[in-house]
Amino acid sequence: MTHIAFIGLGNMGGPMAVNLVQSGHRVTVFDLSVPAMDSLKREGASVADSALSAVKDADIVVTMLPAAQHVERLYLGNDGIIRGAKPGTLFIDSSTIDADTAKRVGADAYACNMHFIDAPVSGGTAGAKAGTLTFIMGGSPHAVAQATPVLQCMGRNLFHAGDLGAGQIAKICNNMLLAVLMAGTSEALTMATKNGIDPKVMSDIMLQSSGCNWTLEKYNPCPDVMENVPSSNQYEGGFMVKLMNKDLNLAMNTAADSVSTTPMATAAQSLYRMLESQGHGEKDFSSVYTLFNKHTNT
Ligand code: NAD
């Protein structure tokens, strides 16, 4: 039986680790949050008292952390998990971070006779719970093949984007588009409402028209149009505004490095920054709707 260590049990990592347990794998977890570990313990995972003790006997290590600085700190250095694992361990980092950090961590893993892929995800917390995430991988074909059976326990669509770091570039491009789509959908729904059209009716119309997009299908930003989405739960849970801002910063840096022009994403970034500066950084990113519709509570 493959022994998997899972580190980072937040909104995404928690349900992903549950799916690994439910697939019959031996799973050892670690998070800085004790309640997050307790909840995995109830699902049948073993709980470690540190990241190093979680990885020491593992065949595969999956990490799901907020940002690049957390990944760097956890993996690198003499007390990092690369040096604490047994030779040949495969590391899968599913956090969304910049491609250069992914390449640096991957190079260090290979220098220590380990394997590494970057495998950020798309699909949100609902996809994490349902085991239907999309994994976007960067790394060697050998490491990707080794990771595939484990990732299939947590996701439905697996893509190999290219070498180390390519998964992160593809993920950042996707999230840049998502930021624009969520803001544009909020803008259209608000204008419809102000002109007397029920937002549910307007959503149904756009779902069958050329404005249809993922936010309307899975993540409507207007409260009470859809059940079980953050907008119908005071914008709690889901994908935090501060994480979207992190991803938009990654997108802007990537755009600058590659001399790409991104006027739509630049406009969207101003909106998500405004939300965070107004104290809504911990709310779900669909709360961008409240900037257009000031009568909606966050
Ligand atoms: P989160 O903040 O809910 O969870 C992060 C978890 O990592 C927390 O439980 C935290 O305690 C833990 N952690 C931080 N440092 C740690 C360390 N050194 N050791 C152990 N645990 C540590 O974030 P999330 O929403 O789960 O997102 C995780 C990553 O996935 C981010 O990079 C995000 O951009 C990406 N992502 C999120 C979503 C989403 O819908 N939430 C979707 C796709 C991708």
Side-chain angles (χ1 to χ4, degrees):
M1 191 197 292
T2 311
H3 180 194
I4 302 169
F6 201 113
I7 302 175
L9 306 167
N11 288 330
M12 294 296 286
M16 288 164 71
V18 169
N19 282 328
L20 286 177
V21 174
Q22 289 178 351
S23 304
H25 290 296
R26 181 180 158 211
V27 181
T28 303
V29 299
F30 178 70
D31 194 290
L32 301 176
S33 151
V34 173
M37 288 198 286
D38 287 346
S39 123
L40 256 295
K41 194 174 179 181
R42 286 193 293 276
E43 297 288 338
S46 306
V47 166
D49 57 7
S50 69
L52 281 178
S53 80
V55 305
K56 71 178 183 340
D57 297 319
D59 306 303
I60 294 181
V61 177
V62 185
T63 52
M64 193 53 167
L65 302 173
Q69 68 267 26
H70 306 93
V71 173
E72 227 172 334
R73 222 176 292 141
L74 181 75
Y75 275 87
L76 302 180
N78 286 336
D79 56 352
I81 56 174
I82 290 177
R83 280 158 187 81
K86 57 186 189 191
T89 299
L90 168 65
F91 292 93
I92 302 172
D93 180 40
S94 286
S95 327
T96 304
I97 63 170
D98 63 285
D100 285 345
T101 301
K103 286 183 202 166
R104 202 164 50 253
V105 172
D108 192 57
Y110 279 97
C112 294
N113 295 317
M114 311 284 180
H115 304 279
F116 178 91
I117 63 166
D118 46 302
V121 303
S122 179
T125 48
K129 284 185 193 126
T132 57
L133 290 171
T134 296
F135 283 90
I136 312 163
M137 298 179 276
S140 74
H142 173 78
V144 163
Q146 211 186 335
T148 294
V150 168
L151 299 186
Q152 281 170 334
C153 301
M154 301 180 281
R156 185 175 288 163
N157 300 301
L158 273 56
F159 293 97
H160 185 189
D163 293 338
L164 278 181
Q168 296 297 352
I169 296 286
K171 165 68 184 171
I172 289 163
C173 293
N174 178 76
N175 270 29
M176 183 174 85
L177 176 58
L178 173 63
V180 172
L181 289 174
M182 188 59 91
T185 301
S186 298
E187 194 173 282
L189 283 173
T190 304
M191 189 165 85
T193 311
K194 286 188 171 173
N195 285 278
I197 300 180
D198 184 289
K200 168 102 180 66
V201 172
M202 189 66 223
S203 297
D204 288 342
I205 292 168
M206 291 195 289
L207 277 164
Q208 300 305 326
S209 305
S210 43
C212 182
N213 67 77
W214 184 88
T215 70
L216 286 164
E217 286 174 337
K218 301 270 170 69
Y219 218 102
N220 198 299
C222 174
D224 303 324
V225 168
M226 240 178 199
E227 287 179 358
N228 300 321
V229 289
S231 60
S232 297
N233 185 30
Q234 284 83 46
Y235 298 101
E236 294 297 337
F239 182 46
M240 287 183 270
V241 167
K242 66 182 184 187
L243 290 180
M244 178 53 96
N245 276 328
K246 175 219 26 162
D247 289 1
L248 285 168
N249 287 336
L250 294 175
M252 291 303 137
N253 292 339
T254 306
D257 290 347
S258 55
V259 197
S260 305
T261 48
T262 54
M264 310 304 289
T266 303
Q269 186 181 36
S270 300
L271 296 174
Y272 293 101
R273 269 201 195 144
M274 199 187 300
L275 262 185
E276 188 167 346
S277 70
Q278 289 175 357
H280 304 305
E282 309 263 312
K283 293 285 182 182
D284 179 71
F285 81 115
S286 63
S287 61
V288 71
Y289 178 83
T290 62
L291 290 179
F292 299 95
N293 192 324
K294 65 179 171 34
H295 302 299
T296 310
N297 292 326
T298 43

